[in-house]
Amino acid sequence: MAKIIPFKAGYCTHIACMAMRGSGFNVCQFPARAWLIEVDGYRWLWDTGYADYFKQYTQKGIFKLYQKTTPVYLNQGESLKEQFNVLGIDLASIQHVIISHFHGDHIAGLRDFTHSRFICSQLGWQTVKPLRGFFALKQGFVPSLIPTDFEQRVSFIEQFERCTLAPELSPFTYGYILPNSKKQVILVPLPGHAAGHIGAFILTDNGWTLLASDAAWVKANYKELKKPSRLANLIMSDSQAYYSTLNQLHQLSYHPDVTIYLSHEGEE
């Protein structure tokens, strides 16, 4: 079965009520999580968290607002490149980096993976590709974080084999089989938060795990259907689709053998 190893690569801060209405104005940490996925020696990285490139490319111009609105903290040794070096994980051993969506806290380390290919939603990439300046900032996208040869190294999930999901994963019904994963990793659209936003169902020894990315920010969003701030709707690509996905996660959470992980939930 597939193995998943969690990582945390820095964090940003924001007021709690942005993630969940009524939770106050105290400033909370939102960790930037990534996961290493392994199936029989084949390795994929799910997102990258923060890296020094984020600070480098948000120091001037309109992108300074990104750093101002969500202050980022990345200590020495916390980038995935540094963590992998300590653990003896060769970056070249990561065959693919899977991008859940193109917000800066999920793609800031892409430039470190010079030997890897990339996987994402075609809708997501085609939406952000032309964006610059204010329009990029509004979508949480920093164009300079994208490697210059990105399009020569990317594959789109829509090109993969489509499959029907197991009944225990309802109400989700279909997904795309990740090549070389022996059908143990299935990529699924989780629309709303960002254009082309995706998650992954992963079959482990403990059952199915869903990497739900930013389909919710805290567990209470989907477990208790406590919504984020109305202001959060302004940065969503489709707020109606977001709440539909949130309802699907709510239904999925009743399945006892399915574990849901979010990219920014706090420490357990």
Side-chain angles (χ1 to χ4, degrees), residues 53 77-86 89 91 112-113:
Y53 303 106
E78 287 187 339
S79 72
L80 285 187
K81 178 181 179 179
E82 293 168 299
Q83 292 187 60
F84 284 4
N85 285 339
V86 170
I89 300 174
L91 269 64
D112 284 331
F113 294 88

Side-chain angles (χ1 to χ4, degrees), residues 16-23 215-233 236 239-240 242-244 246-247:
C17 61
M18 181 62 75
M20 187 173 67
R21 294 180 198 176
S23 54
W217 283 311
V218 294
K219 287 182 178 179
N221 288 150
Y222 68 85
K223 282 195 169 183
E224 304 169 44
L225 290 180
K226 293 185 175 180
K227 297 178 180 180
S229 166
R230 290 181 178 86
L231 288 175
N233 293 346
M236 294 177 186
S239 59
Q240 185 174 353
Y242 173 85
Y243 291 113
S244 177
L246 202 61
N247 276 302

Side-chain angles (χ1 to χ4, degrees), residues 33-170:
R33 301 195 186 281
W35 284 267
L36 183 62
I37 306 168
E38 296 186 0
V39 176
D40 289 347
Y42 206 100
R43 285 174 167 171
W44 301 265
L45 178 65
W46 182 269
D47 288 338
T48 69
Y50 288 111
D52 290 335
Y53 303 106
F54 184 85
K55 181 178 180 181
Q56 177 182 346
Y57 293 121
T58 58
Q59 281 188 330
K60 60 183 180 180
I62 196 167
F63 291 105
K64 287 181 68 175
L65 293 174
Y66 201 148
Q67 184 73 251
K68 294 287 187 181
T69 54
T70 55
V72 171
Y73 300 86
L74 181 71
N75 296 322
Q76 185 174 355
E78 287 187 339
S79 72
L80 285 187
K81 178 181 179 179
E82 293 168 299
Q83 292 187 60
F84 284 4
N85 285 339
V86 170
L87 293 172
I89 300 174
D90 184 359
L91 269 64
S93 74
I94 309 299
Q95 283 92 344
H96 288 85
V97 179
I98 306 173
I99 301 165
S100 67
H101 60 296
F102 285 90
H103 287 172
D105 49 334
H106 296 261
I107 65 169
L110 290 183
R111 287 179 174 270
D112 284 331
F113 294 88
T114 56
H115 295 89
S116 303
R117 294 187 61 82
F118 305 115
I119 294 171
C120 67
S121 160
Q122 185 172 19
L123 171 63
W125 174 239
Q126 294 301 325
T127 298
V128 301
K129 177 184 174 181
L131 300 180
R132 295 294 184 270
F134 170 78
F135 297 101
L137 177 65
K138 187 175 183 294
Q139 296 294 326
F141 176 58
V142 181
S144 296
L145 294 176
I146 300 295
T148 54
D149 61 347
F150 181 84
E151 291 199 306
Q152 285 71 56
R153 292 195 274 153
V154 69
S155 298
F156 300 121
I157 71 167
E158 293 88 349
Q159 301 167 338
F160 300 160
E161 180 183 352
R162 180 166 164 156
C163 68
T164 300
L165 296 177
E168 62 265 31
L169 302 182
S170 65

Side-chain angles (χ1 to χ4, degrees), residues 186-219:
I186 302 176
L187 306 176
V188 290
L190 298 176
H193 173 73
H197 184 267
I198 63 172
F201 280 110
I202 302 171
L203 186 58
T204 73
D205 289 335
N206 297 317
W208 286 100
T209 289
L210 173 62
L211 301 184
S213 309
D214 288 10
W217 283 311
V218 294
K219 287 182 178 179

